[in-house]
Amino acid sequence: MSHSEANGPPQMHATTILMVRKGERVVIGGDGQVSLGQTIVKGNARKVRRLAKGSVIGGFAGATADAFTLFERLEAKLEQYPGQLTRACVELTKDWRTDRYLRRLEAMMLVADKEVSLLLSGAGDVLEPESGVMAIGSGGNYALAAARALEDSSHDAEEIVRRAMRIAAEICVYTNDSLVIETLETSKI
């Protein structure tokens, strides 16, 4: 039991989200497990979604209600700045850092469109991966390592996500193999 769990209510642990951009696709996959302390409370949560009429995909790690709030805010920013994912994300993270209500939200997001892949956090981060791979959440480092190892293989982006997520589920107790995967076709890279 962690120190914070011993001094308060059990903490919600949830998720592994992995994003891979390779060839003509960008893929985001997420597991379905939500844990409260040492108990699995849900095994098939949907943490990966389509936004902006399907032109953007995103996945979240963190508190579910917080993530839904952030997805709604991002959707509004995408309507305000159509076709400008980076600008919409920068505007969202500005609000996230400065708005008294949003500052308390505990989540991270991976989002992508045909051109760009980004990580968003409440610390004001809008980061693009150095390579085509990025991961967040409890099992994020396991999935990231596995995906990087598979990156130069002949596997396409979706197969890399599936294999790396399976490896993360075998290692991380807060990750399962009930996957939701969303794919966008991109222009050739």
Side-chain angles (χ1 to χ4, degrees), residues 119-161:
L119 177 144
L120 311 178
S121 82
D125 298 313
V126 179
L127 302 172
E128 192 167 358
E130 286 183 21
S131 66
V133 180
M134 192 170 267
I136 57 175
S138 301
N141 286 337
Y142 306 115
L144 179 63
R148 283 189 178 166
L150 293 166
E151 201 168 15
D152 293 331
S153 72
S154 61
H155 300 302
D156 67 10
E158 184 171 336
E159 184 61 21
I160 291 171
V161 167

Side-chain angles (χ1 to χ4, degrees), residues 56-86:
V56 173
I57 54 177
F60 71 86
T64 305
D66 294 353
F68 286 135
T69 298
L70 291 168
F71 272 140
E72 288 172 7
R73 296 285 182 122
L74 180 56
E75 189 78 60
K77 295 295 183 187
L78 289 165
E79 287 175 14
Q80 188 176 357
Y81 305 105
Q84 300 177 65
L85 179 61
T86 301

